[in-house]
């Protein structure tokens, strides 16, 4: 199974979800992308994301931001949106592969709140990975 995690800018929520999914799933793989990455494509994820994922033993320091494409959607067997459905392109909104988690974007949050978001994503991803094994 090929999973796809999406959010607005592919710098926090979807990157965290991708990393956890690929850590916890034995047989499935996931990637992530953002709906509104644009000129920030290829830029590294923020230092605070690198830091909070290192706290879980996961290195995301080489992860870069990716713009959501039609190809991402076509390759995916399951699409998880960490943003609200209204923020998604129409092609994704209509996909039968779509599941919405809609977690608040932790942009500008203090580290403790960012860790809470990470923990919530980890809990959901663990459950998903287990269901799909």
């Amino acid at each position: 199974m090929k999973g796809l995690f999406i959010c607005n800018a592919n710098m926090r929520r979807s990157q965290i979800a991708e990393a956890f999914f690929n850590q916890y799933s034995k047989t499935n793989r996931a990637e992530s992308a953002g709906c509104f990455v644009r000129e920030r494509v290829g830029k590294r994820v923020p230092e605070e994301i690198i830091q909070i994922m290192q706290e879980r033993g996961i290195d995301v320091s080489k992860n870069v931001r990716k713009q959501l494409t039609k190809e991402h959607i076509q390759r995916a067997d399951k699409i998880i949106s960490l943003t609200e459905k209204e923020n998604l392109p129409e092609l994704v909104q209509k996909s039968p592969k779509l599941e919405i988690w809609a977690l608040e974007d932790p942009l500008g949050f203090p580290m403790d709140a960012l860790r809470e978001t990470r923990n919530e994503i980890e809990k959901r991803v663990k459950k998903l990975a287990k269901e799909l094994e």
Side-chain angles (χ1 to χ4, degrees), residues 3 7 26 32 43-44 48 51-53 67 71 76 83 94 100 102 106 108 121 124 126-128 131-132:
C7 65
K26 295 176 178 84
S32 66
K43 294 198 180 207
R44 283 179 10 133
E48 63 268 15
Q51 180 183 336
I52 67 165
M53 294 308 287
Q67 175 65 46
E71 291 76 26
T83 190
K94 293 181 177 183
I100 305 284
I121 292 170
R124 291 179 186 212
K126 265 185 178 176
K127 182 179 181 220
L128 177 64
E131 288 171 359
L132 296 174

Side-chain angles (χ1 to χ4, degrees), residues 6 35-36 68 73 79 81 83-100:
I6 54 178
C35 299
F36 307 106
L68 180 65
I73 297 163
I79 301 169
S81 173
T83 190
E84 298 78 15
K85 190 172 186 176
E86 308 80 60
N87 291 342
L88 301 173
E90 191 173 329
L91 181 63
V92 179
Q93 286 184 16
K94 293 181 177 183
S95 175
K97 306 175 202 178
L98 179 64
E99 182 176 330
I100 305 284

Side-chain angles (χ1 to χ4, degrees), residues 12-97:
R12 290 175 291 277
R13 296 169 291 175
S14 58
Q15 291 279 353
I16 291 169
E18 173 189 1
F20 278 133
F21 189 85
N22 289 334
Q23 174 85 9
Y24 291 126
S25 181
K26 295 176 178 84
T27 58
N28 300 301
R29 292 281 107 214
E31 59 185 334
S32 66
C35 299
F36 307 106
V37 178
R38 296 186 186 99
E39 72 278 353
R40 298 169 295 207
V41 167
K43 294 198 180 207
R44 283 179 10 133
V45 296
E47 280 301 317
E48 63 268 15
I49 299 302
I50 293 169
Q51 180 183 336
I52 67 165
M53 294 308 287
Q54 280 182 327
E55 293 171 2
R56 289 288 197 263
I58 300 173
D59 181 8
V60 296
S61 63
K62 293 181 176 55
N63 287 28
V64 295
R65 298 163 66 186
K66 300 164 290 294
Q67 175 65 46
L68 180 65
T69 65
K70 237 186 250 189
E71 291 76 26
H72 285 115
I73 297 163
Q74 291 167 345
R75 281 193 306 260
D77 298 310
K78 184 164 194 69
I79 301 169
I80 305 288
S81 173
L82 293 122
T83 190
E84 298 78 15
K85 190 172 186 176
E86 308 80 60
N87 291 342
L88 301 173
E90 191 173 329
L91 181 63
V92 179
Q93 286 184 16
K94 293 181 177 183
S95 175
K97 306 175 202 178

